[in-house]
Amino acid sequence: GLINVGKGGENKPCLVRLEYLPKGRNKNAKPLVLVGKTMTYDTGGLSLKINNGMRGMKRDKDGGCAVFGAMHAIATVIQPKRPVVGIMVAAENSISDEAYRPDDVITFRNGVSAEITNTDAEGRLVLADGLCWACEKEDPAAVIDMATLTGGVVVALGSTFAGMWCDDDALRAKVQAASDLSGERVWRLPLHEEYRDM
């Protein structure tokens, strides 16, 4: 996903991994893993954004920037007693003769394949590889994924709340408590099986 999305850009795509290890005996504990969508620019690729749709797409890296900022705070201020790994999946979704196309079929690192129907759905492709990496290589206690992923969430919630999907009630409660404490508001969105068919 990451390689294919980034093929059309002048700068090669990359997966950036940051690691915080606490001092003492907990350094071998399972880490919390933060994964951030880091699209340095999103033109929409060959499914080119129209009108003013490209304006502001330098902000499509905000998920990765949030991971970077969190890792800085974790290492310098918070210094938790457990390991934390930050993963930024970075690419530019651009147009060139190398760019991936609608109708391409790509295979992710875990062997799952997907047919591309719209190259402006690039975020879920790069995140899929970041999430595969997190689960396969990091043996995480939990994974938190941060992304500017879909305008549909902005339509539903505006810019007041971030959409949150979580299938672990204990983790969801911790994220909600952190949200309440920080003022960075989240709103739980449904993860029902019926959505898979949609």
Side-chain angles (χ1 to χ4, degrees), residues 96-188:
S96 80
D97 60 343
E98 297 293 319
Y100 75 123
R101 303 169 303 269
D103 294 336
D104 281 357
V105 176
I106 65 171
T107 303
F108 298 97
R109 62 176 293 116
N110 66 352
V112 173
S113 62
E115 182 177 9
I116 306 305
T117 58
N118 182 334
T119 61
D120 197 24
E122 85 298 330
R124 60 209 74 194
L125 302 179
V126 300
L127 283 169
D129 271 341
L131 293 169
C132 287
W133 176 280
C135 293
E136 177 189 327
K137 299 288 189 183
E138 305 298 343
D139 189 25
V143 178
I144 295 178
D145 166 3
M146 290 183 265
T148 51
L149 193 56
T150 172
V153 172
V154 178
V155 170
L157 302 176
S159 59
T160 307
F161 287 86
M164 174 177 63
W165 288 267
C166 186
D167 61 359
D168 181 305
D169 288 337
L171 177 60
R172 184 185 56 75
K174 288 178 182 178
V175 172
Q176 185 66 59
S179 165
D180 295 341
L181 186 64
S182 69
E184 294 283 341
R185 292 175 284 203
V186 297
W187 191 267
R188 187 181 188 185

